[in-house]
Amino acid sequence: DTGVSQDPRHKITKRGQNVTFRCDPISEHNRLYWYRQTLGQGPEFLTYFQNEAQLEKSRLLSDRFSAERPKGSFSTLEIQRTEQGDSAMYLCASSLNSDLWGYTFGSGTRLTVV
Amino acid sequence: GESVGLHLPTLSVQEGDNSIINCAYSNSASDYFIWYKQESGKGPQFIIDIRSNMDKRQGQRVTVLLNKTVKHLSLQIAATQPGDSAVYFCAETPYGQNFVFGPGTRLSVLP
């Protein structure tokens, strides 16, 4: 296992379309996090899972956003009816319980809404 | 809301000089801090961390200083190299779950 994997690396979509991103965490990590990062800013927390349970969602996670982790392994983040303001880098991170030292980020999915 | 911020958005240093990147945080409940390095097109990469019961921690060419009295964090990079060019973020967590990041400082190493 070489780290947190995210797919696709880049996605261009037309406004109004739905998009889905995938994150594969480090295999032994039971916690998985989603962040959004806009240009020139630091990552902003969206949501996190412990195993398959979604334990926290930030105010940034509007009704158009949904995240799942059905088997407690990989996770998907879906954005419905995309808007230009959704253009950002979507980062996934994973950790083993609350082991913050092992908190590892993936390389992200760059979304561009045109 | 409570947030983490940086004093300088950009920093240019000569190769071989030392770099100091500063960060202010506002959540007094934060007990763990990390400095991340992010290169273009990549996710944040862990550099060094520090817990609130410490005021200094050293790694390989990097040192983090924590001043809880004024809620200030700094990252010192010794003998800055071209490979150190990147955006640096400090991040805090008060609850041991998600991190709160500042806006970042771009470090540019001049030849």
Side-chain angles (χ1 to χ4, degrees), chain B:
Chain B
E2 307 217 53
S3 64
V4 172
L6 294 172
H7 297 311
L8 298 172
T10 59
L11 178 66
S12 295
V13 298
Q14 291 293 136
E15 182 178 353
D17 287 351
N18 297 335
S19 303
I20 299 177
I21 301 173
N22 295 304
C23 173
Y25 66 94
S26 58
N27 190 340
S28 57
S30 291
D31 60 1
Y32 185 71
F33 305 86
I34 290 183
W35 278 101
Y36 282 100
K37 173 185 180 182
Q38 188 172 26
E39 296 173 293
S40 181
K42 297 183 179 180
Q45 177 186 0
F46 173 92
I47 301 174
I48 191 167
D49 61 347
I50 189 166
R51 290 204 173 272
S52 59
N53 61 353
M54 304 171 70
D55 53 20
K56 180 179 180 179
R57 189 150 191 245
Q58 288 184 293
Q60 186 176 14
R61 285 201 305 119
V62 294
T63 300
V64 55
L65 300 178
L66 175 63
N67 186 330
K68 294 181 289 293
T69 302
V70 295
K71 296 178 187 171
H72 184 267
L73 199 67
S74 69
L75 175 69
Q76 300 177 1
I77 304 173
T80 312
Q81 302 171 359
D84 295 327
S85 293
V87 177
Y88 290 80
F89 297 96
C90 67
E92 61 171 329
T93 179
Y95 310 118
Q97 297 169 359
N98 55 287
F99 283 96
V100 176
F101 285 79
T105 291
R106 180 173 299 281
L107 176 64
S108 178
V109 182
L110 306 174

